[in-house]
Amino acid sequence: MTATPVLVAGTVGSGAQHHQAEMWTPAFAAAGLEAVGVWTPPTVDAAALARARSLAGDLGVDLEVSEEPSTAAAGAVVCLRGAERIAFARFAAERGMPILLDKPTLDATAQVEELAAVAGDGIVMAGHHLSSHPGFTRALTAVRGAEIGLLRAVHADLVSGGGDRSPDGELRNLGVYLVELTRQTTGPADLTLQATATGAGDAWTFLGRTDREVVVSAHVSRAGAGEASPRSLRARLRLLGTHGSLIVDLAKPAIGLATTNATSTVPFVGESSVVAHLRRFARAIDGSVRVPAPADLVTLSRALDAIAASAATGDATPLTW
């Protein structure tokens, strides 16, 4: 099978994050993708330019530093921020190039709105790879197939150990993963939600209820910041229905399923969530799978704003996701 040619666009993250080298490109081959070049705009800082130069050498491909890329590719994995990301989204939309955006909601909602506007009806896939975790997709099947009856509650819990604190705060850096998992589980909903956070934004907790009386709760935090080896200390999703429950451990190749009939461990074929997400991107490129419209990123970003507003004021806040 011929690999799908993909452009590696930018090496900018939150602070010193280098997701292109540490997460995305190492999983290309397993996902059926091939890097055909590394490109970066000249306007990024010196550290990002150095990362791009080093990555191109490691991958054995050319580095292009220019206003717009000239390298032919079927799609692009994009690690850029702000105006540079918006400009690339415009470039990709004009050429019909599908893109995968790493951490798209690190930018403020106004910039996400601008990006969605320039992307139009193009294919823009968020890089929230936990939503492609085999355990999570299996759990979604159980919810939609009513294996646990009607969904009544969703709880998500993510504690990251080590690594650098995000200068953008952990709500938009890590918490967005939990919000994305929760809203995919409940489906589109109106909620009333109460949130709390530490002053530094390193820990967030929220509790709410949807318009269909589904209780949602989540906690995200970072422990041991600054340690050399970041890892997930805890990453779980609990789903409660009228006739059973599910526990998804996002670090293990199985889920626990308990129903009125039996309790069992349901295994799944284990490929990493990153590989699974890139496989989905490859299918989006060839047109065999659909992804949400770019405007969905605006809905997600506005939900994060509402959570932050509730934590800041101490008041319950209505939101839609």
Side-chain angles (χ1 to χ4, degrees):
M1 181 181 294
T2 303
T4 301
V6 174
L7 178 66
V8 178
T11 58
V12 179
S14 179
Q17 282 180 354
H18 190 3
H19 281 178
Q20 295 284 33
E22 297 166 359
M23 185 168 71
W24 296 120
T25 58
F28 275 12
L33 303 176
E34 178 183 10
V36 295
V38 176
W39 169 85
T40 184
T43 49
V44 299
D45 63 25
L49 283 171
R51 288 195 295 266
R53 187 173 296 109
S54 176
L55 180 60
D58 291 343
L59 294 174
V61 298
D62 292 334
L63 169 66
E64 181 179 3
V65 182
S66 61
E67 293 298 327
E68 291 186 346
S70 58
T71 304
V77 175
V78 184
C79 287
L80 292 167
R81 296 286 302 274
E84 287 90 355
R85 183 155 59 184
I86 293 167
F88 190 86
R90 181 182 291 109
F91 165 85
E94 290 171 350
R95 287 154 182 79
M97 175 190 288
I99 57 177
L100 184 151
L101 298 183
D102 182 78
K103 298 285 183 78
T105 56
L106 281 180
D107 290 335
T109 296
Q111 291 178 309
V112 177
E113 290 171 342
E114 186 176 355
L115 184 146
V118 302
D121 58 359
I123 296 175
V124 178
M125 183 170 162
H128 300 140
H129 59 91
L130 289 182
S131 65
S132 293
H133 187 286
F136 177 68
T137 57
R138 174 62 180 85
L140 276 185
T141 298
V143 170
R144 293 169 181 169
E147 290 182 49
I148 58 172
L150 295 177
L151 184 66
R152 304 315 313 151
V154 181
H155 174 70
D157 191 11
L158 175 61
V159 180
S160 179
D164 295 326
R165 288 186 173 90
S166 171
D168 299 284
E170 297 303 348
L171 176 63
R172 285 184 173 266
N173 183 48
L174 293 177
V176 63
Y177 286 114
L178 299 190
V179 174
E180 182 63 18
L181 295 178
T182 304
R183 76 184 190 125
Q184 284 198 32
T185 305
T186 66
D190 294 320
L191 300 87
T192 300
L193 179 146
Q194 175 73 60
T196 60
T198 60
D202 292 337
W204 294 79
T205 300
F206 65 78
L207 175 67
R209 187 184 298 271
T210 75
D211 52 349
R212 292 188 295 276
E213 299 298 316
V214 177
V215 174
V216 298
S217 60
H219 169 81
V220 61
S221 60
R222 184 181 294 276
E227 295 179 1
S229 300
R231 62 189 180 90
S232 292
L233 300 180
R234 188 175 183 87
R236 289 188 178 179
L237 187 72
R238 299 176 181 84
L239 310 178
L240 177 65
T242 54
H243 292 77
S245 64
L246 280 163
I247 298 179
V248 183
D249 190 330
L250 297 170
K252 294 182 179 179
I255 63 176
L257 173 62
T259 70
T260 53
N261 296 319
T263 298
S264 60
T265 299
V266 182
F268 52 80
V269 176
E271 62 182 359
S272 77
S273 59
V274 175
V275 171
H277 207 57
L278 287 172
R279 284 188 187 277
R280 186 177 176 217
F281 181 51
R283 293 196 296 271
I285 291 173
D286 69 23
S288 61
V289 70
R290 296 181 63 183
V291 300
D296 185 67
L297 296 177
V298 178
T299 300
L300 177 58
S301 190
R302 289 174 179 169
L304 296 172
D305 285 344
I307 293 169
S310 176
T313 63
D315 298 328
T317 302
L319 63 89
T320 299
W321 65 31

